[in-house]
């Protein structure tokens, strides 16, 4: 199993049972390059934060990760958990910051609380 590591902490892993391309073939993908950038302890741009907030909140496989071609790229280390009151209902989301979460939600938000 191939993986991206930072201090022995696995940040990407194969999550499907069938054969997939080697992880190295995904090096030009946005998610792979973002994970590498974060592994080098570089900061995300606003565009990258907004992209990540959208990707973790729209995929159906993981709450704090982005799936790509059978691999799971974990971003728990840069995500915060929020509860959002919108239209009288509370929902839970993960995002790098409140600004990226607001950009993802688009509509009226009554309250955002970091957990």
């Amino acid at each position: 199993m191939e993986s991206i590591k930072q201090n022995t902490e696995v940040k990407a892993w194969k999550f499907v049972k069938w054969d997939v391309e080697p992880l190295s073939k995904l090096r030009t993908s946005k998610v792979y390059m973002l994970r590498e950038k974060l592994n080098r302890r570089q900061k995300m741009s606003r565009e990258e934060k907004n992209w990540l907030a959208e990707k973790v909140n729209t995929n159906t496989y993981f709450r704090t990760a982005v799936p790509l071609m059978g691999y799971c790229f974990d971003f728990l280390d840069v995500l915060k958990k929020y509860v959002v009151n919108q239209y009288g209902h509370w929902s839970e989301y993960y995002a790098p910051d409140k600004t990226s979460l607001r950009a993802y939600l688009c509509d009226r938000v009554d309250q955002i609380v970091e957990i």
Side-chain angles (χ1 to χ4, degrees):
M1 176 166 59
E2 293 183 65
S3 61
I4 300 172
K5 295 184 180 186
Q6 175 190 1
N7 300 333
T8 70
E9 187 177 352
V10 174
K11 296 294 180 186
W13 66 91
K14 180 180 164 189
F15 73 95
V16 295
K17 293 181 180 179
W18 55 87
D19 290 336
V20 295
E21 294 287 329
L23 183 59
S24 59
K25 293 244 179 175
L26 301 177
R27 286 199 168 146
T28 58
S29 69
K30 190 168 188 172
V31 66
Y32 191 104
M33 290 188 295
L34 180 59
R35 184 66 261 169
E36 277 193 328
K37 180 179 184 175
L38 293 170
N39 286 352
R40 291 189 304 267
R41 303 204 185 283
Q42 295 176 337
K43 293 189 178 202
M44 286 188 281
S45 68
R46 172 56 46 207
E47 179 186 316
E48 290 168 331
K49 288 178 182 181
N50 290 352
W51 180 86
L52 182 57
E54 178 187 346
K55 293 302 175 190
V56 297
N57 288 296
T58 57
N59 82 74
T60 57
Y61 291 101
F62 307 104
R63 304 281 322 257
T64 62
V66 177
L68 179 66
M69 305 282 294
Y71 288 96
C72 171
F73 291 83
D74 187 22
F75 289 94
L76 182 60
D77 59 323
V78 294
L79 296 174
K80 298 174 185 171
K81 183 191 262 186
Y82 297 98
V83 288
V84 176
N85 186 340
Q86 193 174 29
Y87 305 114
H89 298 288
W90 288 93
S91 300
E92 182 180 290
Y93 296 94
Y94 286 87
D97 58 18
K98 285 184 183 181
T99 304
S100 61
L101 182 55
R102 281 188 186 276
Y104 165 70
L105 295 172
C106 298
D107 293 332
R108 180 182 167 194
V109 174
D110 297 319
Q111 190 175 11
I112 297 178
V113 179
E114 184 179 340
I115 302 295

